Amino acid sequence: DIKMSITASDFVPIFSPAVAAEFVGTFLLQFLSGAASANAADNGIAVAALGTGLAMAMLVLSSVHISGGHLNPAITAGYMVTKANGFTIKEGISYILAQILAAVMGSFLLRMILPNEALFHPFVTLGALSDKHWGQVMLLEFLCTSMVVLVFFAVITDKRRSMAGSAGPLAVGFAYAVGTFAEGPLTGASMNPARTLGPAVAFGHLAHILEYVFATTLAGIAAALAYRGLLGLEEAEEGGSAPPTPIRAVAGQQKYV
């Protein structure tokens, strides 16, 4: 069972190396993924899918030993509700604030750098279905985000049983790439609330952000609970014999889980 004892102090954000890693990683992800999406308007969906997937794989691999490599509030929300690897609400709030701020700043920087002709198709997460078919958009985003979170939990979180090893971040990148191929032209391929919020704020396109943020966040929570409940994450955490490994640094101290 997942037991939570919540106090007011749990909602006070902290700054730590892990939070800094989430900020830097999400900033770079937003910049690189947004640039790939902007280029995809003239060069095809493969540019957005491979650009996003490779960027995610690189950045998760670079940050997983410091923060766990979330770079996505949907994944962080899943960690918060399942308390995966001892994750706390305080850490989750700190991560999400850093991720959203980083996404907004990365989007503004990319908008300033790109020439006007490249911004004819802004790198917001909007697709052919976004204006009139919000139900289909939410379902697509829910399913693709759930796939991403399930893969993340399988190869990164469930480290005692995972066979992925150091290739785990590559599998996460593949998940984002496959999701972009599957839903990119239809929804803009968010799979990440910060990926939606950043460009929406930078371009002032706020009409549909609630649909995307709700669907992706709900997917992160549902997928994490499903992984724990159906695939036995809790039993793996308690019953494995592998030595503990550092996964994130909290408030200046390395935390072992």
Side-chain angles (χ1 to χ4, degrees), residues 40-256:
D42 296 322
N43 298 291
I45 187 64
V47 174
L50 295 177
T52 298
L54 291 173
M56 178 58 75
M58 173 186 69
L59 293 168
V60 171
L61 184 60
S62 301
S63 60
V64 67
H65 63 294
I66 304 172
S67 68
H70 298 191
L71 313 183
N72 183 340
I75 292 174
T76 300
Y79 266 65
M80 289 171 69
V81 298
T82 61
K83 302 177 70 175
N85 293 332
F87 201 74
T88 66
I89 293 176
K90 180 185 288 288
E91 291 173 286
I93 290 173
S94 304
Y95 274 34
I96 290 172
L97 290 175
Q99 291 158 352
I100 293 174
L101 179 60
V104 171
M105 293 179 65
S107 297
F108 272 109
L109 178 62
L110 183 57
R111 183 179 182 183
M112 289 189 294
I113 291 175
L114 290 178
N116 289 332
E117 54 269 24
L119 296 175
F120 182 72
H121 297 284
F123 48 92
V124 293
T125 56
L126 295 173
L129 298 179
S130 298
D131 285 334
K132 297 181 180 180
H133 303 282
W134 61 268
Q136 289 93 322
V137 168
M138 292 182 68
L139 181 58
L140 282 166
E141 285 293 338
F142 180 89
L143 292 173
C144 288
T145 307
S146 295
M147 177 267 297
V148 164
V149 177
L150 285 171
V151 170
F152 191 96
F153 267 67
V155 300
I156 302 294
T157 313
D158 195 358
K159 56 187 180 296
R160 293 189 183 275
R161 297 186 300 176
S162 174
M163 302 297 290
S166 59
L170 186 60
V172 174
F174 284 158
Y176 280 93
V178 170
T180 303
F181 275 120
E183 66 168 354
L186 302 175
T187 71
S190 172
M191 296 173 282
N192 184 336
R195 173 72 180 88
T196 290
L197 286 168
V201 172
F203 286 96
H205 291 182
L206 305 176
H208 301 287
I209 60 171
L210 290 180
E211 301 158 16
Y212 283 85
V213 170
F214 177 78
T216 53
T217 303
L218 181 62
I221 293 171
L225 289 172
Y227 192 96
R228 176 179 285 279
L230 298 177
L231 302 179
L233 175 63
E234 186 169 5
E235 289 78 3
E237 288 174 344
E238 294 175 351
S241 58
T245 55
I247 193 169
R248 62 189 184 276
V250 181
Q253 295 182 342
Q254 195 75 9
K255 186 171 184 177
Y256 290 82

